Amino acid sequence: MGTTIKIVETLDELAQYFASILELCVRETPRDQKFSWVLSGGTTPKKIFREIVLCCRDSIDWNKVKVFWGDERCVGPESEDSNFRMASENLLEHVPIPSANIFRIHGEQDPAAEAVKYSELFARHVNQYNGIPRADLLMLGLGEDGHTASIFPANIDLFHSDKFFEVTEHPETKQKRITACGKIINNAKTVVILASGEAKASKVARIINQLSGWDHLPAALVRPENGELVWLLDQKSAFKLKCILKMKNQLTESPAWKLLEKHFQEIKNISLRSMFSEDSNRAERFSLEELGIYFDFSKHRITAKTLNLLLQLAGERGLSEKIEAMFSGKKINITENRAVLHTALRAPKGAIIMVDGHNVVPDVHEVLEKMAEFATAIRYGEWKGHNGKIIRNIVNIGIGGSDLGPVMAYEALKFYAQRDITFRFVSNIDGNDFAEAVRDLLPEETLFIVSSKTFTTLETMTNARTARKWLLDKLVNEQAVARHFVAVSTNEKEVSAFGIDTRNMFGFWDWVGGRYSLDSAIGLSTMIAIGPDNFYLMLDGFHQMDEHFRTVPFDKNIPVIMGLLGVWYVDFFGAMTQAVLPYDNYLSRFPAYLQQLTMESNGKHVTLDGTKTNYQTGAVYWGEPGTNGQHSFYQLIHQGTSIIPCDFLGFRTSLNPLPLHQDYLMANMIAQGEALAFGKSADEVKKEGVPDHLVPHKVFEGNRPSSTFFMDKLTPGILGKLVAMYEHAVYTQGVIWGINPFDQMGVELGKILAMKIIPELQNRRKQPDHDSSTNNLIRYYRG
């Protein structure tokens, strides 16, 4: 039996997806056979019947469709409670199904007799499988009382009846219904269970709790023995019905995962030496060149079979659909009910990306144009400080994505920066950070960019208030704040109260996560440094990689392959760290930037439905530029006891060409990948004349995996591509692991506790109220 969980956002999408199943099932039915569709009626199907018709009315040969009822209330045909009436008004009246192909249940007079009669009718008109009548498609609605196919919790034994259809009675209302029994349901070729709406799902969840577990609900017994089961839920019901996802959609139970487990046992002891010696074309087969990036992943402990199984896993986890959901503005950040649209920040002007019925692209470009106008005014000395002095210093105040993105991009693109303006970045609430940033600056020549979406972030606003005081200690006049501070925020009230002119407030949106915000207004300092034209080139690089990720087949898709390789090492080799090693000093802050991007995104221990994972997620990312790292931590990578996959980033052309430097630098990078992969055996060491007692110390086991990314030179466009490449690799892993890469609940608890501890540190008379260790630490600090 195959089981699919499909979660959609709206009823329209629910209908569209069901229509696609219906079309496929009809199309796969042989021409000489009728197609049997068993409906469960009810209010859930009623809501989507009309939408189903709109989706597939003209694409199905309705003459071959026979419609049966798997569920009907024993009421008159005109009653509003009649499932047949609800379906007829919304479906049957709008499709050209011959009346002779529609079979309804008449149960209002003698339900027991009608159940027997209908069983015989059903058996005569549908195909047989294993000697039992077989429905081609059975559609069931999950009722708010926990039933499906009208089998109520109190009558769960009915599911095991030897009959095809039976009379059941609601334990409270005593209403009678004629329903399909388990014999029909689990012999069906395809079964689709529909669930929609938070209210109904909440009631079902409560019944599950009352019954002491999911297994006591009839829906849990729906398991087609030789068919397919599809759970089709909207976001709100899926969030409530965690048990369904837990029972049916465990990553480790997927076919590809089980095949990968078996394959890992076959491959885990094979060396890269033997892989290369047995395949002279390995480097060509495991490398890609796209968008000016040469990606060599041949030095990974994989075979063609490994890659095929990883790609199969991506298919089973619905990666294609989930990529499209992100790009189209679906609210895939389900814990915060938000769209995830950092890709909209670099979409071209004419693009249309809808969020809640509104095209956000014009809003993005309006902010970009405002940023460009402001950046130009600063760069050309048109914006002056309170005393008429030209601004020569920019200090960006933010934390997390509001700091790591701008400082990384500034350092990476410093070659392109306007050098008569000084740029500093303050993030840490440690006063030393601020003090050192402004130590040699003149307040009358300094502009602060305060980056905080809410304008309430503790670290950012503490530093901002300190900066305000520092400025006013020299300039005195409160009006000076408006000429020396601008805000990247959405909180107009707080920005104004600070003294910043709200005309100099640059907004962004709740569908932009902090660690994905570099190319929003958060990048204002970057735009001032490198100029609007270069900033737009960077955005274009982002967009090119976005389109590559969205459109290129997965076997040629750089971020997808990167993400899948990460899953391979984390979950099968147990490699819990990943080194990023840029061989370009301008990228010195790139590993730190990736730490937040990857670890804040995928550092999760529960899946989207809130259940604890039974597999590892989220590797630790770290690194330093080469060749410095070679004289530091490479010892552990080469001869330590842990497998640490490495990403080497290199460029053919230096931005500052000095004789020999680039050749030496790239020679070192290439050599490190070779050394990690192939090592040096004891025999090779001995041949060099090394004394026997030193041989073990000089052996390099090799078989250490790495990727190499080669580019021509570091440009704004290439930086955009690199950042987007890692963003999408992170999302690929999040999809595979079934987690939410777009919230960061893990950063909250410490901040909440800190707010409680602050007054305890400041008031010696206040008794701390924590554990004994925390209390003692507070007392020690107070002295």
Side-chain angles (χ1 to χ4, degrees):
M1 179 193 77
T3 300
T4 300
I5 305 290
K6 174 66 177 177
I7 301 173
V8 298
E9 191 167 332
T10 66
L11 280 176
D12 284 346
E13 292 176 48
L14 201 76
Q16 291 167 12
Y17 192 78
F18 182 82
S20 69
I21 296 174
L22 178 60
E23 289 176 344
L24 179 64
C25 290
V26 173
R27 191 163 57 245
E28 289 181 345
T29 302
R31 290 186 178 182
D32 59 342
Q33 291 184 12
K34 292 291 185 180
F35 172 81
S36 55
W37 181 13
V38 180
L39 302 180
S40 181
T43 56
T44 298
K46 173 186 174 182
K47 294 176 184 176
I48 67 166
F49 278 153
R50 192 179 301 274
E51 284 74 15
I52 292 172
V53 171
L54 293 174
C55 292
C56 61
R57 174 173 178 164
D58 299 325
S59 58
I60 287 178
D61 179 5
W62 294 101
N63 289 311
K64 71 184 298 183
V65 177
K66 290 188 174 184
V67 177
F68 296 85
W69 253 250
D71 171 23
E72 178 60 305
R73 297 180 177 93
C74 296
V75 294
E78 301 306 316
S79 170
E80 292 184 358
D81 289 335
S82 168
N83 282 344
F84 178 82
R85 175 179 170 178
M86 285 189 276
S88 179
E89 291 176 349
N90 292 281
L91 173 70
L92 302 182
E93 291 181 3
H94 302 282
V95 291
I97 302 177
S99 58
N101 284 1
I102 299 173
F103 302 87
R104 69 153 297 198
I105 298 174
H106 304 272
E108 53 268 25
Q109 300 300 324
D110 188 348
E114 180 62 19
V116 173
K117 179 181 175 181
Y118 197 71
S119 294
E120 296 170 351
L121 183 73
F122 184 78
R124 285 202 306 272
H125 286 276
V126 301
N127 301 315
Q128 303 279 317
Y129 185 81
N130 289 337
I132 303 172
R134 184 178 211 190
D136 291 302
L137 177 62
L138 178 60
M139 183 170 82
L140 308 174
L142 187 65
E144 64 182 26
D145 42 21
H147 74 270
T148 185
S150 294
I151 301 173
F152 296 94
N155 294 333
I156 196 167
D157 291 342
L158 197 63
F159 198 91
H160 302 290
S161 171
D162 289 334
K163 300 178 181 179
F164 299 150
F165 291 85
E166 276 268 32
V167 179
T168 183
E169 185 178 90
H170 193 287
E172 296 177 2
T173 66
K174 305 304 179 185
Q175 183 188 67
K176 292 183 179 180
R177 302 167 82 144
I178 296 176
T179 179
C181 299
K183 199 170 184 178
I184 292 294
I185 294 172
N186 281 342
N187 200 48
K189 189 173 182 181
T190 302
V191 179
V192 179
I193 300 180
L194 304 171
S196 66
E198 185 175 12
K200 178 184 287 187
S202 296
K203 292 180 180 180
V204 176
R206 283 198 294 271
I207 287 175
I208 292 170
N209 290 334
Q210 293 168 5
L211 294 173
S212 302
W214 159 256
D215 290 335
H216 297 282
L217 200 68
L221 301 176
V222 179
R223 299 168 186 164
E225 295 171 5
N226 293 284
E228 295 293 320
L229 172 62
V230 178
W231 276 94
L232 185 49
L233 311 96
D234 63 12
Q235 289 278 16
K236 291 182 178 179
S237 62
F239 193 70
K240 289 290 182 180
L241 296 172
K242 300 174 183 178
C243 54
I244 293 173
L245 301 181
K246 181 179 179 181
M247 296 295 295
K248 303 294 183 182
N249 205 29
Q250 281 288 345
L251 169 62
T252 53
E253 295 301 312
S254 65
W257 187 275
K258 291 186 177 297
L259 290 171
L260 281 165
E261 287 179 321
K262 181 179 178 182
H263 175 64
F264 172 70
Q265 295 302 321
E266 299 167 351
I267 198 178
K268 66 180 182 180
N269 294 321
I270 299 177
S271 71
L272 284 167
R273 279 195 179 207
S274 62
M275 288 180 183
F276 273 87
S277 66
E278 293 169 7
D279 182 1
S280 60
N281 294 318
R282 181 177 173 85
E284 288 73 26
R285 292 199 303 114
F286 292 104
S287 61
L288 299 170
E289 188 167 8
E290 299 281 345
L291 306 179
I293 299 174
Y294 180 74
F295 173 36
D296 179 355
F297 57 101
S298 62
K299 295 187 181 75
H300 282 286
R301 294 169 66 171
I302 60 170
T303 64
K305 181 178 180 180
T306 316
L307 189 58
N308 287 335
L309 288 175
L310 289 168
L311 293 170
Q312 180 183 329
L313 182 66
E316 291 178 4
R317 301 298 283 176
L319 181 59
S320 293
E321 297 168 351
K322 287 171 182 172
I323 290 173
E324 194 55 36
M326 179 177 72
F327 276 87
S328 59
K330 300 295 188 299
K331 294 183 178 178
I332 60 173
N333 180 355
I334 63 169
T335 56
E336 297 174 314
N337 194 32
R338 292 174 180 172
V340 176
L341 275 178
H342 44 282
T343 54
L345 299 172
R346 51 261 195 163
K349 235 179 184 178
I352 298 175
I353 302 173
M354 306 299 289
V355 177
D356 294 329
H358 175 71
N359 181 15
V360 301
V361 177
D363 300 341
V364 168
H365 282 272
E366 182 181 346
V367 173
L368 284 172
E369 289 165 10
K370 183 179 177 181
M371 290 167 59
E373 182 181 346
F374 182 77
T376 300
I378 294 291
R379 288 167 61 84
Y380 285 91
E382 297 167 3
W383 176 284
K384 295 182 173 59
H386 180 66
N387 291 347
K389 295 278 187 79
I390 291 175
I391 297 298
R392 302 188 184 279
N393 312 302
I394 303 292
V395 180
N396 186 87
I397 299 177
I399 197 166
S402 300
D403 168 74
L404 286 165
V407 72
M408 179 278 292
Y410 171 71
E411 293 293 339
L413 301 177
K414 188 182 289 186
F415 179 83
Y416 304 90
Q418 185 167 324
R419 295 308 179 97
D420 61 352
I421 303 177
T422 297
F423 290 84
R424 303 280 172 80
F425 300 86
V426 178
S427 58
N428 202 326
I429 203 170
D430 183 344
N432 295 326
D433 195 14
F434 179 83
E436 288 296 333
V438 301
R439 185 174 298 278
D440 56 346
L441 305 184
L442 297 175
E444 58 268 30
E445 297 179 348
T446 301
L447 176 80
F448 293 95
I449 301 173
V450 183
S451 299
S452 170
K453 184 181 291 186
T454 63
F455 227 64
T456 59
T457 308
L458 175 66
E459 296 91 342
T460 299
M461 296 316 300
T462 299
N463 282 323
R465 285 188 284 271
T466 300
R468 190 179 190 277
K469 182 179 184 303
W470 177 82
L471 180 86
L472 293 178
D473 283 347
K474 176 71 180 291
L475 301 184
V476 182
N477 194 330
E478 291 271 347
Q479 293 181 353
V481 173
R483 298 303 298 174
H484 293 269
F485 282 83
V486 297
V488 179
S489 179
T490 57
N491 191 337
E492 186 171 325
K493 180 180 177 181
E494 291 296 327
V495 168
S496 179
F498 188 89
I500 296 174
D501 188 338
T502 54
R503 290 175 297 180
N504 301 321
M505 186 177 92
F506 301 85
F508 56 117
W509 304 270
D510 67 0
W511 38 260
V512 181
R515 56 194 175 278
Y516 297 93
S517 63
L518 167 60
D519 34 12
S520 71
I522 292 295
L524 180 60
S525 61
T526 306
M527 183 183 277
I528 295 171
I530 66 175
D533 290 345
N534 279 322
F535 194 86
Y536 276 103
L537 288 173
M538 182 180 73
L539 295 184
D540 183 61
F542 273 101
H543 179 65
Q544 288 185 48
M545 185 57 72
D546 292 342
E547 289 303 297
H548 171 84
F549 179 56
R550 187 180 191 178
T551 63
V552 171
F554 289 167
D555 63 340
K556 304 293 183 185
N557 195 307
I558 295 176
V560 169
I561 292 174
M562 288 172 64
L564 293 175
L565 288 172
V567 171
W568 175 237
Y569 288 113
V570 167
D571 289 298
F572 295 90
F573 284 89
M576 288 308 299
T577 82
Q578 169 88 31
V580 179
L581 309 166
Y583 276 69
D584 189 304
N585 212 57
Y586 282 123
L587 289 175
S588 61
R589 295 293 290 165
F590 194 60
Y593 175 79
L594 292 183
Q595 285 174 359
Q596 186 197 21
L597 173 65
T598 60
M599 294 161 68
E600 194 167 79
S601 294
N602 287 342
K604 311 291 171 61
H605 73 281
V606 295
T607 60
L608 288 165
D609 68 313
T611 56
K612 189 173 176 62
T613 66
N614 61 345
Y615 45 86
Q616 295 293 324
T617 67
V620 174
Y621 273 68
W622 58 284
E624 287 287 337
T627 56
N628 292 8
Q630 292 176 202
H631 294 265
S632 173
F633 51 78
Y634 277 44
Q635 170 64 45
L636 176 67
I637 299 177
H638 281 286
Q639 290 187 314
T641 55
S642 299
I643 293 176
I644 302 173
C646 298
D647 286 352
F648 294 103
L649 309 178
F651 300 89
R652 292 190 294 188
T653 305
S654 172
L655 295 176
N656 296 288
L658 296 172
L660 302 179
H661 282 253
Q662 193 68 7
D663 288 348
Y664 289 175
L665 182 67
M666 290 301 99
N668 270 276
M669 184 189 78
I670 295 169
Q672 291 300 322
E674 182 181 17
L676 287 170
F678 307 114
K680 183 184 286 188
S681 69
D683 288 342
E684 290 170 328
V685 174
K686 288 177 181 178
K687 286 179 182 178
E688 294 176 350
V690 174
D692 287 348
H693 73 280
L694 288 180
V695 168
H697 300 278
K698 289 183 172 285
V699 167
F700 289 73
E701 292 178 343
N703 222 21
R704 311 283 171 123
S706 68
S707 297
T708 301
F709 299 87
F710 242 135
M711 294 136 287
D712 183 39
K713 64 180 178 180
L714 180 55
T715 64
I718 282 293
L719 181 67
K721 292 172 189 177
L722 286 175
V723 174
M725 180 179 80
Y726 278 96
E727 286 177 348
H728 298 321
V730 165
Y731 183 50
T732 297
Q733 292 176 346
V735 170
I736 301 300
W737 287 324
I739 57 181
N740 182 6
F742 304 112
D743 65 7
Q744 54 280 335
M745 305 296 186
V747 306
E748 297 300 321
L749 179 57
K751 295 199 297 188
I752 293 169
L753 292 174
M755 296 305 294
K756 181 180 179 182
I757 292 173
I758 287 170
E760 295 173 338
L761 296 180
Q762 295 173 336
N763 185 352
R764 293 174 180 274
R765 291 177 295 181
K766 188 175 180 63
Q767 289 300 315
D769 182 22
H770 305 271
D771 61 275
S772 60
S773 172
T774 304
N775 290 341
N776 283 341
L777 291 170
I778 291 169
R779 293 187 186 105
Y780 184 84
Y781 176 82
R782 296 193 307 200

